[in-house]
Amino acid sequence: RAKEIKTKLGTLLQKPDSTIDFIIPYPEKPEKPPKAQKPSPEEALQWRDSLEKLLQNPYGLASFRGFLRSEFSEENAEFWVACEDYKKTKSPVKMAEKAKKIYEEFIQTEAPKEVNIDHFTKAVTMKNLVEPSPTSFDMAQKRIFALMEKDSLPRFVRSEFYHELIK
């Protein structure tokens, strides 16, 4: 059984020569917060207690990513965004392509934007990728969300980035 999974995973992770990686499910360039959508101070104040609300607001997400970039931990938000995009993917072919890209960019050891997840979570995620489904990255995404919520969000709320928004 383990050998079968290893073989399938090996096949999944091989880069086919004929495919060109032109599907980029998340922005490569850091985006500037959209000026028109600046939240009201009241709305921004709600983000102190809800990372979910912060991440769902385009201006909030852009501000948070700017803050994470300043702390060299932007990969966490990028991974979260990539997972949200992945879950909306309907086509099994596109899902497999995105799964491979997310794995190579964020999960595999020495990945360019490797997120900090424990070995168990990484193992479960790799097992889930044998047959990619909308829930393949759920456990890893939950771990990274919890990490941002308990670690990055409190620092963000104390930052200049945030204090500019609630003035």
Side-chain angles (χ1 to χ4, degrees):
R1 181 83 183 123
K3 193 172 182 164
E4 181 187 321
I5 290 173
K6 202 172 182 180
T7 307
K8 276 186 165 180
L9 193 58
T11 309
L12 174 74
L13 298 176
Q14 281 171 355
K15 199 174 195 80
D17 299 331
S18 61
T19 343
I20 300 165
D21 282 329
F22 59 88
I23 297 166
I24 301 168
Y26 29 86
E28 295 292 47
K29 291 189 184 80
E31 71 267 24
K32 295 274 180 278
K35 285 282 175 257
Q37 295 172 300
K38 188 173 185 195
S40 66
E42 296 74 36
E43 193 179 349
L45 278 168
Q46 296 178 352
W47 299 343
R48 284 196 288 204
D49 307 314
S50 175
L51 179 59
E52 191 115 6
K53 281 183 183 162
L54 169 65
L55 295 174
Q56 283 168 356
N57 179 295
Y59 196 98
L61 175 63
S63 300
F64 190 57
R65 283 175 74 166
F67 169 74
L68 292 176
R69 199 168 20 262
S70 76
E71 289 204 329
F72 306 101
S73 63
E74 187 187 10
E75 71 280 352
N76 291 334
E78 286 185 22
F79 174 69
W80 187 88
V81 169
C83 290
E84 286 300 291
D85 174 72
Y86 171 81
K87 286 191 273 193
K88 294 174 191 145
T89 307
K90 299 285 180 255
S91 151
V93 173
K94 279 202 172 30
M95 186 172 277
E97 287 170 5
K98 286 181 181 184
K100 179 179 183 291
K101 187 160 175 46
I102 291 171
Y103 173 80
E104 289 173 349
E105 195 162 352
F106 299 103
I107 305 289
Q108 78 182 8
T109 306
E110 302 296 316
K113 299 176 180 179
E114 187 177 359
V115 289
N116 186 3
I117 52 174
D118 58 277
H119 291 292
F120 176 73
T121 303
K122 188 179 275 196
V124 168
T125 303
M126 287 169 70
K127 190 170 158 282
N128 290 346
L129 291 177
V130 174
E131 287 177 26
S133 78
T135 60
S136 293
F137 293 101
D138 282 7
M139 181 187 263
Q141 188 184 18
K142 282 186 180 86
R143 294 274 192 278
I144 293 304
F145 183 89
L147 183 74
M148 290 191 297
E149 193 171 46
K150 118 180 171 322
D151 199 41
S152 307
L153 183 62
R155 285 199 308 278
F156 175 67
V157 167
R158 291 190 300 266
S159 74
E160 261 318 295
F161 283 90
Y162 186 71
H163 286 273
E164 284 302 308
L165 292 173
I166 57 172
K167 278 183 181 172

